[in-house]
């Protein structure tokens, strides 16, 4: 096994690149972000529902809760892993970058989410991949302006980069860590492979027709795996079936004619993935048990060929389980999530280095309703105080019992404030923990995620479903290889792109 510092001079310390979820500006994004998103706002599914009042005292209490969620052991026990493949964690991050971009919210004061702009088009249209298209962003495309430029410095499995290592891609956030950068690269190659296949099938198409047809197919394959693979894995087939068959209950067009990005989703339910991140991963056959922070070491430089991600270690196949399983969706967060890169000059003990603390304070600042209030509005069975106070540890060690008592103390502080008004993000994690053993979201979190995704899908460009769908009988074909279309998964897209199992790293 290779040393994690080989071809990687920054391997022993986190990069100064800002991590996922940190405060950003629009620097580096195309002008169309502002133009396309002026009318896209955040909002509330349940306006007026009970929230935790913004105050210094509550800020400190939520920070304490976030810090107490952090595991102190840097080496994970197999019992901490779920049945979910780790690849879904980073596919979920890629999807998030396709839907949301918040640069205006603050943690220092209460804000009305309805006054905040979402600088992303809330569509599954892959604008993070295509940018402004070959006419406006020709530097991302080849001479014909139909295929993406891919590869850099002798490594064909990297995103294209400038001489100083800056990624030449449609959304700079997709280069914030190695996992999402490598998935972005895979999607570039998937598009190129679709171009090649369509050109063979329909050789008479003009270049612009070829590009448009390929882009439509790529978007639809992406939408298909979101519904039939990602969501089924995260929220369960029964929830998806109910939403598709019975319709939207909480985010319908009748109730909300105009789309907005609900903070119950973006600031709470969809942040379930933060609890899934591990301390160590098997990156590929050369780096078989290396730290999460290695994923930050290539954001300002070329990815060496020996650091290409082996996706066969992150997604299972029929008859073979992936080596990397995600941590359980629960109220425990990996130690690495308390050591995130921060801006230069930030104190080492700053809350901004602790992702769980940031999430909780952000929820208060944006006035996200508490878990009990949302569950009542959804008419779901509320978690009991006994469930909220239950330990996430089975056969707990003395150290783990101490860690859990810290959580209990915070929940019971200030006359049981957070026990009665539990932050929605924490409530959703606890729900998954006690009702689903951490292997998928529970009834509140799962339904919120499913409804927002289906609403977006119905409203999306080139959608495979909804009132504006051109071809409601559409089925995936690229990488299908004779299987039932219902079983088409992210793995099949990666295989068609030629990045699922790369001989040099698999």
């Amino acid at each position: 096994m290779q040393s994690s510092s080989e071809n990687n001079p920054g391997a022993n310390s986190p990069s100064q690149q800002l991590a996922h979820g940190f405060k950003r500006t629009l620097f580096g994004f195309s002008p169309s972000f502002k133009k396309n998103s002026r009318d896209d706002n955040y909002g509330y599914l349940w306006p007026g529902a009970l929230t935790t009042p913004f105050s210094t005292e509550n800020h400190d209490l939520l920070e304490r809760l976030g810090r107490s969620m952090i595991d102190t052991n840097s080496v994970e026990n197999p019992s901490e892993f779920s049945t979910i493949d780790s690849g879904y964690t980073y596919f979920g991050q890629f999807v998030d970058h396709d839907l949301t971009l918040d640069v205006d919210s603050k943690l220092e004061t209460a804000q009305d989410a309805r006054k905040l702009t979402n600088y992303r088009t809330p569509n599954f249209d892959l604008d993070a991949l295509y940018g402004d298209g070959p006419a406006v962003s020709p530097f991302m495309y080849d001479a014909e302006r139909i295929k993406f430029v891919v590869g850099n410095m002798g490594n064909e499995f990297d995103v294209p980069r400038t001489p100083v290592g800056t990624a030449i891609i449609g959304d700079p956030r997709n280069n914030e860590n190695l996992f999402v950068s490598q998935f972005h690269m895979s999607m570039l190659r998937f598009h190129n492979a679709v171009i090649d296949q369509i050109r063979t099938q329909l050789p008479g198409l003009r270049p612009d027709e070829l590009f448009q047809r390929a882009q439509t197919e790529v978007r639809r394959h992406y939408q298909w795996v979101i519904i039939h693979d990602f969501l089924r894995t995260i929220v369960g087939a029964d929830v998806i079936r109910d939403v598709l068959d019975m319709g939207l209950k909480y985010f319908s067009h009748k109730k909300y004619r105009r789309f907005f990005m609900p903070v119950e989703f973006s600031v709470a339910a969809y942040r379930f993935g933060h609890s899934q991140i591990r301390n160590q991963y098997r990156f590929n056959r050369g780096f078989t048990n290396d730290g999460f922070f290695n994923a930050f070491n290539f954001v300002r430089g070329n990815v060496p060929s020996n650091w290409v991600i082996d996706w066969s270690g992150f997604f299972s196949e029929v008859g073979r389980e992936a080596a990397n399983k995600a941590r359980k969706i629960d109220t425990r967060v990996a130690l690495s999530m308390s050591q995130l890169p921060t801006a230069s000059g930030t104190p080492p003990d700053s809350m901004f280095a602790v992702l769980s603390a940031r999430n909780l304070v952000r929820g208060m600042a944006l006035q996200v309703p508490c878990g009990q209030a949302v569950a009542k509005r959804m008419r779901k069975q509320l978690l009991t105080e006994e469930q909220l106070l239950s330990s996430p540890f089975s056969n707990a060690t003395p150290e783990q019992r101490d860690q859990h008592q810290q959580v209990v103390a915070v929940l019971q502080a200030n006359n049981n404030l957070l026990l009665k008004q539990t932050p929605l993000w924490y409530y959703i994690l606890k729900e998954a923990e006690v009702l689903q053993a951490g292997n998928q979201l529970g009834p509140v979190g799962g339904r919120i995620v499913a409804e927002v995704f289906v609403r977006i899908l119905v409203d999306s460009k080139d959608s495979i479903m909804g009132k504006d769908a051109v071809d409601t009988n559409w089925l995936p074909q690229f990488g299908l290889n004779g299987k039932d279309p219902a079983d088409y998964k992210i793995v099949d897209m990666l295989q068609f792109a030629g990045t699922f199992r790369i001989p040099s790293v698999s």
Side-chain angles (χ1 to χ4, degrees):
M1 185 178 74
Q2 294 169 304
S3 165
S4 61
S5 61
E6 186 175 333
N7 290 329
N8 184 9
N12 295 321
S13 61
S15 165
Q16 285 301 306
Q17 173 75 13
L18 298 185
H20 175 66
F22 200 84
K23 178 69 175 177
R24 287 186 177 274
T25 69
L26 287 178
F27 180 78
F29 291 88
S30 72
S32 68
F33 273 63
K34 293 182 179 181
K35 178 181 177 182
N36 293 341
S37 302
R38 284 173 182 160
D39 296 325
D40 295 331
N41 290 90
Y42 290 88
Y44 302 95
L45 286 174
W46 295 280
L50 183 65
T51 65
T52 301
F54 190 94
S55 68
T56 300
E57 184 178 27
N58 289 342
H59 182 292
D60 293 343
L61 194 63
L62 290 169
E63 182 177 345
R64 283 175 55 200
L65 178 59
R67 290 183 183 276
S68 68
M69 294 171 67
I70 299 295
D71 277 339
T72 58
N73 193 344
S74 62
V75 179
E76 285 141 336
N77 187 293
S79 65
E80 298 175 55
F81 299 138
S82 69
T83 58
I84 303 172
D85 296 338
S86 282
Y88 291 100
T89 304
Y90 299 102
F91 177 81
Q93 186 180 2
F94 179 86
V95 171
D96 175 53
H97 293 173
D98 192 33
L99 298 178
T100 67
L101 175 61
D102 164 32
V103 302
D104 299 322
S105 66
K106 302 177 176 64
L107 301 186
E108 301 83 14
T109 185
Q111 290 182 285
D112 186 337
R114 291 168 292 195
K115 297 180 180 179
L116 300 178
T117 298
N118 175 20
Y119 290 96
R120 258 300 177 209
T121 57
N123 295 286
F124 292 127
D125 58 2
L126 290 170
D127 54 347
L129 187 75
Y130 288 103
D132 290 322
V136 179
S137 305
F139 48 86
M140 298 199 313
Y141 297 86
D142 65 3
E144 288 187 282
R145 297 189 178 185
I146 59 173
K147 295 173 75 172
F148 287 109
V149 175
V150 181
N152 186 61
M153 295 293 288
N155 179 12
E156 61 180 316
F157 296 106
D158 189 12
V159 297
R161 299 178 184 275
T162 67
V164 297
T166 302
I168 307 172
I169 55 178
D171 187 332
R173 294 176 300 167
N174 279 356
N175 191 50
E176 70 183 20
N177 67 59
L178 180 63
F179 300 116
V180 73
S181 174
Q182 286 280 285
F183 195 86
H184 189 103
M185 175 273 298
S186 296
M187 290 298 294
L188 297 177
R189 294 177 68 92
F190 181 77
H191 167 91
N192 290 352
V194 170
I195 287 283
D196 291 339
Q197 186 82 7
I198 294 177
R199 199 199 301 263
T200 299
Q201 295 171 345
L202 301 168
L205 290 178
R206 299 193 313 267
D208 61 322
E209 294 174 326
L210 177 58
F211 176 83
Q212 185 174 20
R213 186 179 290 257
Q215 185 183 50
T216 298
E217 286 294 326
V218 172
R219 284 172 172 164
R220 289 179 174 178
H221 282 73
Y222 168 64
Q223 294 168 8
W224 182 276
V225 298
I226 286 173
I227 290 290
H228 293 275
D229 188 8
F230 179 66
L231 282 187
R232 290 181 187 276
T233 299
I234 298 304
V235 309
D238 290 342
V239 175
I240 294 300
R241 188 179 304 112
D242 185 67
V243 173
L244 294 178
D245 292 346
M246 305 306 294
L248 303 173
K249 293 181 180 178
Y250 312 107
F251 202 21
S252 67
H253 289 81
K254 182 178 180 180
K255 186 174 183 180
Y256 296 108
R257 183 182 61 83
R258 188 189 187 101
F259 183 87
F260 59 89
M261 185 59 67
V263 289
E264 294 92 341
F265 168 83
S266 63
V267 183
Y270 200 58
R271 298 195 176 217
F272 72 88
H274 293 171
S275 72
Q276 293 184 300
I277 298 171
R278 297 167 46 135
N279 288 313
Q280 288 92 22
Y281 288 96
R282 184 194 186 280
F283 287 80
N284 57 38
R285 74 180 184 190
F287 303 104
T288 59
N289 189 34
D290 286 78
F292 165 76
F293 280 119
N294 285 293
F296 289 109
N297 287 320
F298 308 105
V299 295
R300 275 290 182 179
N302 307 316
V303 175
S305 58
N306 64 333
W307 268 99
V308 169
I309 293 294
D310 174 18
W311 288 118
S312 69
F314 287 79
F315 290 99
S316 299
E317 301 172 275
V318 175
R320 184 197 62 81
E321 289 293 320
N324 296 300
K325 292 294 183 179
R327 286 175 61 105
K328 291 179 179 179
I329 305 174
D330 62 14
T331 54
R332 303 307 302 171
V333 180
L335 179 63
S336 56
M337 294 298 96
S338 68
Q339 304 167 341
L340 292 177
T342 58
S344 179
T346 303
D349 60 346
S350 168
M351 178 196 73
F352 290 100
V354 185
L355 186 58
S356 48
R358 261 195 281 146
N359 284 347
L360 292 167
V361 172
R362 187 182 302 279
M364 177 181 65
L366 289 177
Q367 304 177 67
V368 177
C370 70
Q372 290 88 343
V374 170
K376 287 179 181 178
R377 296 289 184 98
M378 296 178 72
R379 297 184 178 180
K380 302 293 186 183
Q381 182 71 41
L382 271 67
L383 294 180
T384 65
E385 290 190 0
E386 181 180 6
Q387 288 173 317
L388 287 166
L389 293 172
S390 65
S391 174
F393 303 109
S394 58
N395 302 317
T397 65
E399 182 181 18
Q400 289 173 333
R401 285 194 290 270
D402 289 342
Q403 291 174 31
H404 178 59
Q405 284 307 309
Q406 293 175 26
V407 173
V408 170
V410 176
L411 293 175
Q412 293 180 330
N414 296 0
N415 194 29
N416 293 329
L417 175 65
L418 299 185
L419 190 60
K420 297 174 181 177
Q421 300 176 25
T422 309
L424 183 58
W425 179 62
Y426 186 92
Y427 185 96
I428 286 170
L429 295 182
K430 196 68 180 181
E431 181 188 58
E433 176 187 303
V434 300
L435 300 182
Q436 299 291 345
N439 292 315
Q440 68 180 45
L441 289 170
V444 171
R447 187 76 191 199
I448 292 173
V449 170
E451 291 227 0
V452 172
F453 269 60
V454 171
R455 172 66 187 264
I456 292 172
L457 184 58
V458 168
D459 293 346
S460 288
K461 298 176 182 176
D462 300 325
S463 178
I464 59 175
M465 61 186 295
K467 63 182 186 303
D468 296 325
V470 176
D471 182 6
T472 55
N473 295 316
W474 181 91
L475 292 172
Q477 60 173 307
F478 298 105
L480 189 60
N481 296 326
K483 67 166 59 176
D484 185 339
D487 295 327
Y488 186 85
K489 297 178 181 292
I490 299 167
V491 166
D492 299 302
M493 293 184 71
L494 293 171
Q495 288 177 334
F496 190 75
T499 61
F500 180 67
R501 185 176 282 108
I502 300 169
S504 61
V505 296
S506 297

